[in-house]
Structures are given as structure tokens and as C-alpha cells.
């Protein structure tokens, strides 16, 4: 049978696109350079499967770098696709995956060019990140809200963050208002 996809973790030969499904064995043997080749060669429709593969990396530092590289590119080329992926993680209760993507998203947002960072699409993603963080890390949610939001949107985020903060730090929660 003909092999349709490269499954090796080794670097592609010149001109060959490193694409196709990855086995656990190949994921375990891939370096950051190998992952960068995959991220660069990916079409925007491949980001979802690529990020799912990257979530299988056992080295937490490498995993975060790879997922961040994918999110960087995804935000630049298909913001709406990324937003749909984030929403699917929320709907499916994929908390572990959402946590990995949230870490990478925080890194990626700091790498955005100013024009993209000011877009409505990124604003929606930032609001979702703040909402997620308000339940998992209210202090970090507050920092993101104060950095990215203004006026009524900031006030609304603070109310949500305060509710979650009050669950663990009763005096601190109401002090946000």
C-alpha cells in the first residue's frame, strides 16, 4: 500500500511538506525545529488537528512552545477558526485542553502586531480568555482585563472576576468594584 502521509518525526526533505497525521512515536521524537516545519507547512484547516497532536507532547515546556507557535499562526490567519475551536473546547468541557490553549493564547496575545491586536475578533478572544481565567486564576484575569478592556466592558469583567475571587478570597472580591 502507498503511504499517503509522512509519519516520521524527522525533518522533511527539501521541498517536501511535513504534513499528515502524527503517531505517538513520531510526536515523542519531534524537536521544536520539526514542529516549526509542521506549523509553517500547515494549511489553516490543519490547525485543529495540529494543536491536538501537540497536546500529546510529554515535555511541558516544548508542548507550550509548540502550541503557542500554532496559536500565533492561527490568530494571524484564521481568527474565526480559532474562536470556534476555543468555543468547542468550552462546550465539550475539555478543561485540560482549554488550560493548555489558554496558556499559549496568553503568550500569543503578547506577540500580536498592533493592528491585529486592535481587531474586534481579537477583542472577542480576549473576553473569552478573561472569562475562562476568572474561574481558574482570577488575579491573572484581572490583569488581562485591566490591560485590554475599558469602560463598561472592564466593569462587567471585574464583576465576573469579583464573583469568582470572592469564592476563595472573600475580602478581595468585593474590593474590585
Amino acid at each position: 500500500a502507498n503511504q499517503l502521509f509522512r509519519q516520521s518525526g524527522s525533518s522533511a526533505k527539501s521541498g517536501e511538506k511535513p504534513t499528515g497525521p502524527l503517531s505517538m512515536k513520531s510526536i515523542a521524537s519531534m524537536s521544536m525545529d520539526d514542529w516549526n516545519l509542521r506549523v509553517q507547512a500547515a494549511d489553516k484547516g490543519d490547525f485543529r488537528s495540529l494543536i491536538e497532536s501537540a497536546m500529546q507532547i510529554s515535555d511541558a515546556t516544548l508542548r507550550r512552545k509548540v502550541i503557542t507557535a500554532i496559536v500565533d499562526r492561527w490568530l494571524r490567519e484564521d481568527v474565526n477558526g480559532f474562536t470556534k475551536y476555543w468555543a468547542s473546547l468550552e462546550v465539550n468541557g475539555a478543561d485540560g485542553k482549554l488550560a493548555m490553549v489558554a496558556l499559549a493564547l496568553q503568550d500569543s496575545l503578547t506577540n500580536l502586531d498592533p493592528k491585529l491586536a486592535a481587531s474586534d475578533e481579537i477583542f472577542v478572544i480576549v473576553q473569552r480568555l478573561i472569562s475562562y481565567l476568572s474561574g481558574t486564576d482570577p488575579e491573572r484575569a484581572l490583569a488581562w482585563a485591566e490591560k485590554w478592556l475599558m469602560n463598561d466592558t472592564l466593569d462587567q469583567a471585574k464583576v465576573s472576576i469579583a464573583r469568582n475571587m470572592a469564592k476563595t478570597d472573600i475580602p478581595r472580591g468585593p474590593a474590585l468594584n
Side-chain angles (χ1 to χ4, degrees), residues 101-149:
V101 175
L103 279 174
L105 178 58
Q106 291 172 75
D107 295 340
S108 291
L109 287 171
T110 63
N111 298 331
L112 290 179
D113 69 74
K115 184 178 178 183
L116 181 57
S119 72
D120 290 342
E121 293 86 357
I122 294 297
F123 180 71
V124 168
I125 291 170
V126 169
Q127 287 180 300
R128 292 188 97 127
L129 174 65
I130 291 167
S131 176
Y132 167 77
L133 289 174
S134 73
T136 61
D137 188 347
E139 291 291 340
R140 186 165 293 206
L142 181 60
W144 277 99
E146 290 175 339
K147 180 177 180 177
W148 285 78
L149 305 179

Side-chain angles (χ1 to χ4, degrees), residues 16-28:
E16 183 180 341
K17 284 178 70 172
T19 59
L22 293 167
S23 68
M24 286 303 293
K25 183 178 178 185
S26 65
I27 289 170

Side-chain angles (χ1 to χ4, degrees), residues 73-95:
R73 184 145 176 245
W74 208 343
L75 292 178
R76 283 193 317 269
E77 296 181 23
D78 186 19
V79 176
N80 292 327
F82 178 82
T83 303
K84 288 176 186 173
Y85 177 69
W86 181 280
S88 75
L89 294 177
E90 290 174 330
V91 168
N92 293 320
D95 295 339

